[in-house]
Amino acid sequence: MRAAPRVVERTSESTKLRVIPRVRELYAYREILANLVRKGLKVKYTASVLGAVWSLLNPLVFLAVFTFVSKVMGSNIPSYPVYLLSGLLAWNLFNVSVTLSTRSVVDNANLVKKVYFPRELLPLSAIGEVLVDFVLQVSVLILFMIVTGYGFHPANLALLPLVVFDLFTFTTGMAFLFAALNVRYRDVQYLVGLGMIVWFWLTPIVYPSHFVQEQAARIGSRIDLFAVYLLNPMADIIEGFHRALYGVVQPRAGTVILVDASLGWLAAVLATAAVASLLLAWLTWRVFFTLSGDFAEEL
Amino acid sequence: MGSPAIEVDAISKKFRLYREKPTSLKARLISSRNRAEDFWALRDVSLEIPEGASLGLIGHNGSGKTTLLKVIAGILRPTEGRVVTRGRIAALLELGAGFHHELTGRENVYLNASFLGLSRRDTDLVYDDIVAFAELEDFMDNQVKFYSSGMLVRLGFAVAVHVDPEILLIDEVLAVGDEAFQARCLERVRQFQRDGRTIVFVTHALDMVARVCDWAVMLDHGHVHAVGPPEDVVRELRYVLLRSDPNFVPEEGTREVEIAGVELVRGRGSNDGSVMPGEDLTIQVDVRANEPADDLDVSFGVWDWRNLLATDGSTAREGVSVGRFAGKRRVRFRLRTVPFAPGKYWITVGLSSQMTGHVYHVQRQRYWFEVREPEAEHQRIVVVPLEVDVEDL
């Protein structure tokens, strides 16, 4: 017995995004999403002997090099490899996801013009692809922390779910926006490439986050410069990862590395960022949804 | 089932045509708005396609067929109007759309099937059939970049016909592969029809429309020009195509001698416009001489639906002289056995001077006859003139 036929009505009106039915529709198309992710991974590692091992080697080499460098040359940040990677891996997820998503619709022009499916799947599959790498690489980092006996801070680890939520919501929001805009203006993909370089340095990844706090306090001003710095959601998110994994604000007496604030304060910042990111993702999803009706003829 | 499978309600689709499409911000800022021209690919198109119908969409290039299909499939958004579809749709706008060259045949089958709405588990069930249909058993683990184009097309079609949609939209993809493969594709389509699925074809192969569809729609410059039985709509398209051809003049000549009348006499004298393959057909041309001409050549040509010359003949070529005459004379061309494939044929009749080639009068493709499809048990590869007699022994 056949189920009742699915009735679909399409009109000239660009339909308003209704989140719940749309999420249900996306769920109905999850096979395509899974296949797109699978395709992306297979294509990426095709004709390479080691395949996914390359994803693991990347953080391993980072860890080895920075362990060596900070041993030999010394570093202002104790356990620099853990500090660096706890932020860098999250940044990479954001950076690579947004970069790939931006091109995702244009790169799949052939599909968009010939096959119907919810276009959101294209940027989402780009994120999914990067997520696989992210999981592998974080596992390497955690393994490294266990093996070297770095230790974990259970209270801080409680931040992880929130900060991971922030990271994905914000990444998805940016991905929808740039993917949609890039269809009309290919400038967007170059702009994103350049923007990411600047953004990287606006985010405490390679330098200690306390440094900015310190400088802001030193310069002084009627406006709170450090608060302005924290308006960058990625700064909050990376700081959240630092706090969750690197853990200690002041690893040595006199050396403050992380933002000098209570766990509760940071959680509040991240919660605010979560609300803001959700709002952003909803807005950019609407933009994407509205524009996606015309992707097939814009390409 | 009351509601139609597809309702197309006053659909219009406008495209902006850019001389050079601005895809960068700079280009968009510099180019003024009026560089873009509006082009209406569809204008106020309404159709109701009942469940289980097979509709052929025909029309000249750029008439809006593919655009309509894409609007129904949901790929393009209509500028005006509304489309309602009831049931799962699979749109074959391009064979192997979404094939990725770095992936193996097997991986592409699963990817492509999911685009057509088949779940992984469903694909598992039909996977062997797909491979067998495409006859690619030995190549499924090769990357498709090593496939020939024929192999790609076969695999694409094999996937497409194994999805199980309630509505199938097909754009020009049936005319692929060798004849054996095409026959299997067609058999598959007929299976879909028997299962009561709704099919919309877009095609240039007009004979396909007559053979497969139960009705047809002709689009002309984005408008619905004709709707009806496939045969009639195909004929209408032919007329429109002929008329739009600047080289086609239906009738011309200086009329020193003119065609007074043409009649087609069927072998059995029947007059219902159809001939069975193997029957005789006489083209009877009445000629009126307004001025005496003594080198008259009467000729005819028979054209099939593709506008290809099927056969022709003339009095001069047969060594027959019409002679010098005043008034009317009748010339009969008797086609002993008509070995044509089933379909419609159009006849051109001409009068010209044998010596100079001067055209007195010509009527192009004004008359037609139809060769009927023989009953199934009468289908033969060749029609051999056969004589039978019975005698007492």
Side-chain angles (χ1 to χ4, degrees):
Chain A
M1 224 11 236
R2 246 170 233 288
R6 203 170 66 202
V7 179
V8 181
E9 181 175 338
R10 300 175 215 283
T11 63
S12 48
E13 308 288 310
S14 60
T15 36
K16 278 261 163 58
L17 172 66
R18 290 188 303 147
V19 173
I20 305 287
R22 189 60 174 175
V23 167
R24 234 179 257 140
E25 193 175 354
L26 289 178
Y27 183 73
Y29 280 90
R30 63 195 179 279
E31 295 256 356
I32 297 188
L33 181 63
N35 274 326
L36 282 172
V37 171
R38 209 173 285 134
K39 173 192 109 176
L41 292 173
K42 278 197 177 127
V43 168
K44 188 161 121 194
Y45 294 123
T46 192
S48 79
V49 179
L50 293 182
V53 176
W54 287 112
S55 292
L56 298 172
L57 279 179
N58 193 335
L60 274 176
V61 169
F62 259 89
L63 288 168
V65 167
F66 282 99
T67 305
F68 178 76
V69 168
S70 53
K71 280 266 156 53
V72 173
M73 302 173 58
S75 166
N76 295 329
I77 304 178
S79 306
Y80 188 59
V82 176
Y83 179 83
L84 178 70
L85 275 237
S86 61
L88 187 64
L89 295 185
W91 170 262
N92 280 348
L93 176 105
F94 172 71
N95 177 13
V96 181
S97 294
V98 172
T99 308
L100 281 183
S101 302
T102 303
R103 293 202 322 252
S104 61
V105 180
V106 173
D107 283 355
N108 287 292
N110 229 353
L111 273 184
V112 174
K113 281 196 273 192
K114 300 286 179 189
V115 188
Y116 172 77
F117 57 90
R119 308 309 187 197
E120 289 96 321
L121 296 182
L122 290 171
L124 287 179
S125 74
I127 297 173
E129 228 176 278
V130 182
L131 174 65
V132 174
D133 268 1
F134 180 72
V135 169
L136 288 175
Q137 298 185 343
V138 168
S139 317
V140 170
L141 174 64
I142 287 175
L143 210 67
F144 177 85
M145 288 165 70
I146 293 169
V147 168
T148 57
Y150 182 82
F152 295 90
H153 303 76
N156 297 4
L157 279 179
L159 275 182
L160 263 187
L162 179 60
V163 75
V164 166
F165 175 82
D166 276 16
L167 178 63
F168 278 98
T169 320
F170 187 62
T171 302
T172 309
M174 299 308 267
F176 279 151
L177 180 67
F178 293 135
L181 293 182
N182 195 47
V183 174
R184 200 164 292 178
Y185 309 107
R186 303 293 146 80
D187 307 64
V188 171
Q189 64 196 53
Y190 306 110
L191 216 62
V192 167
L194 279 181
M196 284 295 176
I197 296 172
V198 179
W199 204 334
F200 179 80
W201 291 101
L202 287 175
T203 306
I205 298 161
V206 293
Y207 55 83
S209 32
H210 183 253
F211 172 76
V212 183
Q213 194 179 20
E214 202 176 51
Q215 294 298 314
R218 197 177 57 79
I219 297 166
S221 160
R222 263 185 300 166
I223 44 169
D224 185 352
L225 285 178
F226 188 60
V228 173
Y229 179 78
L230 290 180
L231 283 180
N232 165 16
M234 282 314 287
D236 310 340
I237 290 167
I238 296 297
E239 187 55 18
F241 273 99
H242 281 155
R243 191 66 169 255
L245 293 173
Y246 184 71
V248 282
V249 173
Q250 193 174 347
R252 275 198 300 262
T255 323
V256 184
I257 300 299
L258 301 186
V259 171
D260 197 2
S262 73
L263 205 56
W265 179 84
L266 189 58
V269 168
L270 286 171
T272 316
V275 173
S277 302
L278 267 180
L279 201 68
L280 175 92
W282 178 67
L283 281 173
T284 60
W285 189 9
R286 278 182 55 152
V287 171
F288 186 94
F289 186 74
T290 307
L291 292 178
S292 69
D294 295 327
F295 282 172
E297 58 191 284
E298 291 269 356
L299 286 168
Chain B
M1 289 279 165
S3 332
I6 304 172
E7 261 174 78
V8 177
D9 188 8
I11 286 293
S12 295
K13 178 70 198 172
K14 181 175 75 178
F15 288 114
R16 298 192 75 81
L17 294 182
Y18 300 95
R19 297 233 174 81
E20 196 180 340
K21 202 171 184 185
T23 50
S24 81
L25 199 56
K26 195 180 94 190
R28 174 117 352 176
L29 289 177
I30 293 171
S31 76
S32 59
R33 276 251 152 218
N34 50 21
R35 249 202 218 173
E37 285 166 32
D38 286 346
F39 168 72
W40 289 89
L42 293 175
R43 224 29 198 301
D44 197 23
V45 171
S46 293
L47 289 174
E48 273 196 8
I49 305 171
E51 198 182 315
S54 302
L55 170 74
L57 261 183
I58 58 176
H60 58 87
N61 284 327
S63 59
K65 308 179 296 269
T66 300
T67 304
L68 181 56
L69 216 56
K70 284 185 170 183
V71 170
I72 294 173
I75 294 168
L76 292 176
R77 192 170 66 194
T79 313
E80 287 162 16
R82 180 179 85 105
V83 174
V84 181
T85 54
R86 293 185 179 82
R88 205 162 59 136
I89 297 185
L92 310 181
L93 297 180
E94 193 178 272
L95 283 182
F99 272 9
H100 198 291
H101 282 229
E102 295 289 346
L103 299 181
T104 65
R106 179 190 303 272
E107 289 159 352
N108 269 311
V109 165
Y110 280 91
L111 183 63
N112 202 230
S114 72
F115 284 131
L116 295 172
L118 220 54
S119 74
R120 196 160 188 83
R121 211 178 311 145
D122 296 339
T123 315
D124 284 337
L125 293 177
V126 291
Y127 180 78
D128 290 336
D129 294 340
I130 291 175
V131 177
F133 192 90
E135 299 177 319
L136 290 172
E137 286 88 346
D138 300 334
F139 304 97
M140 292 313 288
D141 291 318
N142 292 76
Q143 289 171 309
V144 299
K145 66 178 170 188
F146 299 119
Y147 281 25
S148 70
S149 57
M151 291 160 81
L152 269 179
V153 154
R154 260 154 45 207
L155 190 60
F157 199 88
V159 176
V161 295
H162 283 87
V163 300
D164 193 31
E166 279 131 22
I167 300 173
L168 188 64
L169 310 176
I170 308 181
D171 188 5
E172 283 298 359
V173 292
L174 279 176
V176 296
D178 53 36
E179 259 173 64
F181 187 73
Q182 272 192 33
R184 268 187 301 154
C185 293
L186 214 59
E187 180 40 47
R188 195 73 202 183
V189 167
R190 292 201 194 283
Q191 183 63 47
F192 272 120
Q193 292 176 317
R194 280 196 291 273
D195 294 349
R197 279 148 224 255
T198 312
I199 307 181
V200 182
F201 289 99
V202 162
T203 184
H204 282 116
L206 297 182
D207 62 332
M208 184 81 92
V209 176
R211 274 158 64 203
V212 177
C213 301
D214 39 40
W215 58 299
V217 167
M218 176 190 160
L219 292 178
D220 185 29
H221 296 98
H223 296 269
V224 174
H225 182 91
V227 182
E231 305 260 323
D232 296 348
V233 179
V234 166
R235 177 151 30 105
E236 179 58 28
L237 174 64
R238 250 182 70 88
Y239 285 150
V240 171
L241 286 179
L242 286 177
R243 241 178 281 135
S244 62
D245 179 356
N247 294 321
F248 182 80
V249 183
E251 191 160 355
E252 65 181 324
T254 47
R255 309 260 184 140
E256 289 90 343
V257 188
E258 64 181 356
I259 300 165
V262 173
E263 203 170 337
L264 303 176
V265 183
R266 280 83 186 168
R268 290 178 193 146
S270 71
N271 224 5
D272 64 349
S274 61
V275 187
M276 299 302 285
E279 261 184 354
D280 292 357
L281 177 75
T282 304
I283 303 169
Q284 183 175 297
V285 184
D286 291 349
V287 184
R288 183 191 303 120
N290 298 325
E291 288 167 30
D294 47 15
D295 63 339
L296 184 67
D297 183 19
V298 182
S299 60
F300 74 94
V302 179
W303 308 76
D304 74 355
W305 53 267
R306 287 164 300 186
N307 210 19
L308 295 175
L309 183 64
T311 187
D312 63 355
S314 87
T315 51
R317 205 191 312 153
E318 300 303 321
V320 175
S321 165
V322 184
R324 188 185 173 86
F325 67 99
K328 281 164 80 169
R329 226 160 233 202
R330 175 166 289 177
V331 178
R332 283 197 198 89
F333 297 99
R334 194 168 300 118
L335 282 68
R336 308 302 300 264
T337 78
V338 173
F340 301 148
K344 283 212 163 72
Y345 294 86
W346 283 263
I347 296 173
T348 295
V349 176
L351 308 177
S352 60
S353 156
Q354 221 179 112
M355 323 260 245
T356 62
H358 176 79
V359 175
Y360 296 127
H361 192 191
V362 61
Q363 290 179 331
R364 289 200 182 89
Q365 305 200 9
R366 173 133 164 204
Y367 311 95
W368 64 274
F369 65 92
E370 184 182 8
V371 178
R372 281 274 193 79
E373 192 136 11
E375 298 299 312
E377 63 265 32
H378 287 135
Q379 254 167 11
R380 300 159 277 193
I381 295 173
V382 285
V383 180
V384 181
L386 184 65
E387 276 170 27
V388 182
D389 57 56
V390 181
E391 66 183 308
D392 277 329
L393 291 173

